[in-house]
Amino acid sequence: MLYISTRGGCSAVSSAEAILRGIAPGGGLFVPAEDVTFTQKDFLDLIDMTYQDRALHILKKFLTDFSTKSIEQCVQQAYATEKFDTTMIAPLTTVTDKLAVLELWHGPTCAFKDMALQLLPHLLVQSAKVMGDKYKYAILVATSGDTGKAALEGFKDVANTKILVFYPNEGVSEIQKYQMITQEGSNVGVVAIEGNFDDAQSGVKRVFTNGEFQEELAALGYKLSSANSINWGRLVPQIVYYISAYLDLVRFGKIKYGEEINFIVPTGNFGNILAGYYAQKMGLPIHKLICASNENNVLTDFIHTGIYNRNRHFYKTISPSMDILISSNLERLLYHLSGRNSSQVKQWMEDLQHNGLYKVDQDTMKRIKQLFWADFSTDPETLARIKDVFTKHKYVIDTHTAVAWDVYAKYYNQTKDQRMSVIVSTASPFKFNASVVKALFGLEALENKSEFDLLEFLAAKGNLPIPNGLKNLKQKEIKHSKVCIKEDMIEVVKDFLA
Ligand SMILES: *Cc1c(COP(=O)(O)O)cnc(C)c1O
């Protein structure tokens, strides 16, 4: 299987090269050059397998230049049972006979980013081996909180890699900060940047575009890489859980094989839901992929009108991981649904860059509407939904999951669709505990409580265990206390790698 760019203009590369490069020359994204399909038998053969074995068989079809043995090693290390708090890895909870929840937050950092970031480091190292590349990889990440921690946990102690995370000194929550500054591992670094997230991000970008510095690093035996969500190595692991969830529904007797179901996905950068699209393309019986947004509803408008317009107010919401106005992975969907029309995609992306806006043609729009449905939820609706779900089902959900649940309610009201539907749950409620406690017990419940107190409070009131990754954080040894200004970032990276 070879990979080509959504914007054309570069020759096809192997999956190893696509993963090592991250982004295609000219700014496009790598996509499989041919469609990967499974027969009914291929799917059903996976039904009695563990999550890890399902992953192996699915990944093999996309990473044809990797040996089976090496994919197996990657998968076993990524989804090891000491890293996830359930052997199911991505367990399905049924709520009613029409509704189930796919919990993607049982990994070390309690959010769905672990599903991909646990595997990506191993795929990256393996890709370097496949390519006969002798360099070590230095991963630089600027984070507004969650991705940095998930990347640290993924790369921790992975041979031939080092990871350095910059977080804004003003701008991450106490818990997020403690998660990072107590990070263990022999190859990790965490540094606070004086400033906000944009300062951290623009600083990291400057390091990446400094050619002279890259040469210096090469002399030290290092290449720079990022772990961002447009890398094919982050997308491909996510295909697995859509298929796995479907097979679990069949295995538990909730549906018969062949019955179409819906997935409702809380969406930001469009990576998660795009993996669902690839699963559907492989032949998984999916009726609708329901794209749920918060008030930053640029995708809702796009799926309704065919016009993508980022020129709008940016809202800070209680589902911050979806506060995004440019959904980068949408480019891959447009490539496929325009009939692999790379010159058209290139034009749209140029329109977006220059005017903040593009409009897709009728045929592409028709295909989008066949498979996708979209709506959004405001913060008050999200809070009300958390309360309602707890009241009705005794089930505590986080704010991102609540956006999806609320959009599902809107979908059901409008369509009365009786098909089985799966809400994709992207974070543990403990991760966004202040909003969850406020939704369930009112604003008063937050008074005089630190974020750490709120963990205990939610555990007691919700009768839930605090996840391992968040427990005893305050007692852990602080291992990273460096603070720098963004002008000094290159020096900091040099020191870290020397
Ligand atoms: C990243 C994230 C999302 C958005 O996922 P995309 O792949 O960017 O669409 C949703 N919920 C949570 C909790 C996340 O961390």
Side-chain angles (χ1 to χ4, degrees):
M1 169 66 64
L2 292 174
Y3 287 78
I4 50 181
S5 168
T6 48
R7 299 188 200 179
C10 79
S11 48
V13 301
S14 66
S15 54
E17 190 169 348
I19 290 170
L20 283 185
R21 285 184 176 225
I23 189 159
L29 309 189
F30 286 114
V31 286
E34 291 150 51
D35 293 344
V36 171
T37 52
F38 262 28
T39 62
Q40 173 167 341
K41 180 177 181 304
D42 291 333
F43 282 121
L44 286 174
D45 281 348
L46 307 179
I47 204 156
D48 292 318
M49 292 185 189
T50 59
Y51 188 86
Q52 292 86 338
D53 286 341
R54 287 173 178 173
L56 168 65
H57 284 86
I58 296 161
L59 292 173
K60 253 164 70 168
K61 296 280 183 170
F62 287 97
L63 310 176
T64 47
D65 48 337
F66 288 45
S67 70
T68 301
K69 181 123 195 69
S70 67
I71 299 178
E72 193 175 0
Q73 279 172 359
C74 291
V75 166
Q76 294 301 344
Q77 292 175 80
Y79 304 120
T81 39
E82 62 274 17
K83 298 201 166 174
F84 282 74
D85 66 12
T86 157
T87 52
M88 301 283 291
I89 307 298
L92 201 63
T93 300
T94 38
V95 181
T96 68
D97 55 358
K98 280 205 250 328
L99 189 63
V101 180
L102 174 62
E103 296 180 350
L104 299 180
W105 39 262
H106 290 274
T109 76
C110 314
F112 105 99
K113 304 265 184 314
D114 288 331
M115 299 304 297
L117 278 167
Q118 281 297 310
L119 188 58
L120 174 74
H122 302 287
L123 295 179
L124 192 71
V125 169
Q126 198 55 46
S127 296
K129 268 194 201 144
V130 169
M131 299 294 293
D133 184 322
K134 294 279 180 289
Y135 290 95
K136 291 183 198 151
Y137 278 80
I139 317 300
L140 295 189
V141 180
T143 187
S144 54
D146 286 343
T147 304
K149 176 62 183 177
L152 285 164
E153 279 296 324
F155 280 95
K156 154 177 109 178
D157 295 329
V158 173
N160 295 322
T161 71
K162 280 193 128 185
I163 175 163
L164 184 56
V165 170
F166 293 95
Y167 71 91
N169 212 5
E170 312 137 26
V172 301
S173 76
E174 274 295 291
I175 288 185
Q176 286 174 329
K177 180 173 164 179
Y178 267 82
Q179 279 189 302
M180 289 191 278
I181 63 180
T182 59
Q183 178 67 44
E184 293 165 4
S186 55
N187 62 338
V188 305
V190 176
V191 177
I193 289 282
E194 302 268 20
N196 58 25
F197 174 61
D198 284 337
D199 295 319
Q201 191 165 41
S202 60
V204 165
K205 271 202 186 131
R206 266 205 309 278
V207 178
F208 271 105
T209 49
N210 184 329
E212 219 175 283
F213 183 54
Q214 311 253 350
E215 279 172 30
E216 262 182 71
L217 287 187
L220 291 170
Y222 279 101
K223 266 190 192 165
L224 287 182
S225 185
S226 77
N228 66 32
S229 78
I230 55 176
N231 192 310
W232 181 252
R234 260 186 77 176
L235 201 85
V236 73
Q238 300 178 164
I239 299 170
V240 177
Y241 51 72
Y242 284 93
I243 297 172
S244 185
Y246 187 91
L247 294 174
D248 281 345
L249 287 170
V250 176
R251 186 162 63 159
F252 302 152
K254 302 286 176 196
I255 55 169
K256 289 202 189 62
Y257 185 87
E259 242 180 279
E260 286 188 335
I261 67 168
N262 305 307
F263 284 98
I264 306 94
V265 189
T267 298
N269 211 13
F270 211 77
N272 194 354
I273 196 167
L274 182 73
Y277 168 72
Y278 278 109
Q280 193 269 349
K281 219 167 149 58
M282 286 174 75
L284 196 72
I286 295 177
H287 175 60
K288 286 280 190 253
L289 290 166
I290 298 171
C291 177
S293 302
N294 61 27
E295 270 187 278
N296 296 296
N297 57 357
V298 59
L299 284 167
T300 311
D301 289 347
F302 172 68
I303 291 171
H304 291 171
T305 65
I307 298 170
Y308 194 100
N309 186 355
R310 64 147 302 179
N311 304 311
R312 59 177 72 211
H313 184 69
F314 174 81
Y315 294 96
K316 279 185 100 129
T317 73
I318 56 171
S319 44
S321 305
M322 296 155 66
D323 289 347
I324 279 178
L325 290 181
I326 297 191
S327 301
S328 324
N329 266 304
L330 184 63
E331 180 171 344
R332 285 185 165 114
L333 181 75
L334 295 177
Y335 174 79
H336 290 295
L337 293 185
S338 65
R340 294 184 174 272
N341 188 342
S342 55
S343 54
Q344 181 64 77
V345 171
K346 185 163 182 261
Q347 185 59 52
W348 288 331
M349 292 305 124
E350 283 171 6
D351 291 349
L352 180 64
Q353 195 180 356
H354 297 128
N355 311 321
L357 163 127
Y358 60 86
K359 181 175 195 314
V360 303
D361 60 276
Q362 296 252 312
D363 283 345
T364 302
M365 211 40 227
K366 218 169 85 195
R367 291 186 204 114
I368 291 174
K369 286 207 162 157
Q370 256 163 24
L371 183 58
F372 289 86
W373 197 91
D375 210 335
F376 72 100
S377 284
T378 62
D379 281 357
E381 287 175 317
T382 304
L383 291 171
R385 186 57 59 181
I386 293 174
K387 174 95 178 174
D388 182 65
V389 168
F390 185 64
T391 310
K392 286 200 180 112
H393 307 292
K394 289 284 158 283
Y395 185 66
V396 185
I397 55 175
D398 92 292
T399 49
H400 303 76
T401 308
V403 167
W405 206 306
D406 196 58
V407 167
Y408 171 69
K410 290 171 178 162
Y411 172 76
Y412 186 81
N413 278 341
Q414 284 183 36
T415 63
K416 297 289 181 278
D417 182 357
Q418 300 295 315
R419 289 178 186 81
M420 184 75 193
S421 297
V422 177
I423 289 170
V424 177
S425 175
T426 50
S428 156
F430 285 97
K431 196 127 202 194
F432 299 93
N433 57 28
S435 295
V436 174
V437 167
K438 180 176 155 197
L440 296 179
F441 308 105
L443 205 51
E444 320 79 72
L446 296 179
E447 272 168 29
N448 305 319
K449 291 191 191 72
S450 73
E451 289 178 24
F452 299 97
D453 299 335
L454 287 171
L455 288 175
E456 310 283 340
F457 182 82
L458 188 59
K461 291 279 187 179
N463 196 18
L464 295 166
I466 302 178
N468 283 336
L470 300 174
K471 229 183 337 204
N472 307 326
L473 261 184
K474 205 76 210 233
Q475 285 81 48
K476 278 193 165 171
E477 184 191 345
I478 292 173
K479 295 184 182 290
H480 311 276
S481 47
K482 199 180 200 127
V483 182
C484 83
I485 53 171
K486 67 180 180 195
E487 286 72 23
D488 290 344
M489 269 166 95
I490 286 198
E491 284 308 311
V492 171
V493 177
K494 249 191 243 176
D495 283 351
F496 175 66
L497 296 177

